[in-house]
Amino acid sequence: MTTEEIRENVEKALDEIRPFLNSDGGDISLLSIENDRLVRVQLEGACIGCSVNQMTLKSGVEMTIKKYAPQIEEVVNVEPA
């Protein structure tokens, strides 16, 4: 997969999970993809400070991204400044 295809697939994965985050008052943005292996996202809205956001990130977001782009090794949330 090319870098552009990986980005497109990660965006598709985020589009799949976004309605679940929106239903709880949250959202997610793709910040970057590094070396086609590390995805940096930012959880937004109600997801900021939510006690289960790390579980959401690993079991929901990361799992969905890996389904679309299996070469992704890790997804990390970048806290807003």
Side-chain angles (χ1 to χ4, degrees):
M1 230 184 269
T2 67
T3 298
E4 184 57 34
E5 289 170 327
I6 291 170
R7 176 171 280 281
E8 287 173 11
N9 284 352
V10 169
E11 290 283 7
K12 286 178 193 171
L14 295 180
D15 287 344
E16 180 178 310
I17 201 156
R18 190 167 277 121
F20 299 102
L21 298 174
N22 291 161
S23 71
D24 287 331
D27 205 350
I28 191 167
S29 293
L30 175 62
L31 299 179
S32 65
I33 302 172
E34 297 174 15
N35 302 319
D36 294 342
R37 299 214 177 322
L38 173 69
V39 175
R40 292 189 188 279
V41 297
Q42 189 167 73
L43 292 168
E44 302 169 345
C47 293
I48 298 171
C50 175
S51 61
V52 296
N53 73 9
Q54 284 307 306
M55 187 175 72
T56 298
L57 187 69
K58 291 297 174 190
S59 63
V61 177
E62 187 170 283
M63 188 176 73
T64 304
I65 287 174
K66 287 180 175 180
K67 180 175 78 174
Y68 282 85
Q71 63 273 56
I72 297 299
E73 294 172 0
E74 187 178 12
V75 177
V76 296
N77 179 47
V78 176
E79 297 286 338

